[in-house]
Amino acid sequence: MDIEFVSMNIRIEGKVQGVGFRDFAIAQATGYGLKGWVRNRSDGTLEALAFGPRMYVEAFITSCMSGPPGASVAAINVEAADTPKEMTFTRRATL
């Protein structure tokens, strides 16, 4: 069975800043062995780019639907994206 690798850009809306969401995302993505990054955006959303086997990227997205304690996710938008240059899952500066 061939493993399908995907790269997805994920935008998360709601109460997602100031609640440890970036640390949560890094821990989840690292646990799944994903590559990519996460950052806050100046519009109050959180953005992540995740690359890895489809089943693990989908599991990461599912975990982001609830987030850490204190978070309240209103919406998640997912789009296909280019493969990240990062070799691990990192935190980027706010955009």
Side-chain angles (χ1 to χ4, degrees), residues 2 7 18 20 23 25 32 39-41 47 59 67-68 70 78 81 85 88 93:
D2 290 335
S7 186
D23 290 337
Y32 290 121
R39 66 179 167 203
N40 284 335
R41 295 185 56 94
E47 180 180 23
V78 180
K85 294 180 173 82
T88 60

Side-chain angles (χ1 to χ4, degrees), residues 3-4 9 11 16 22 45 86:
I3 297 174
E4 179 185 6
N9 182 273
R11 289 287 293 269
V16 296
R22 287 175 296 170
T45 64
E86 286 81 1

Side-chain angles (χ1 to χ4, degrees), residues 23-60:
D23 290 337
F24 170 82
I26 290 167
Q28 293 292 309
T30 300
Y32 290 121
L34 302 178
K35 296 178 183 179
W37 49 262
V38 62
R39 66 179 167 203
N40 284 335
R41 295 185 56 94
S42 58
D43 64 2
T45 64
L46 187 123
E47 180 180 23
L49 188 136
F51 170 79
R54 176 178 291 281
M55 62 188 273
Y56 294 136
V57 171
E58 289 175 352
F60 172 72

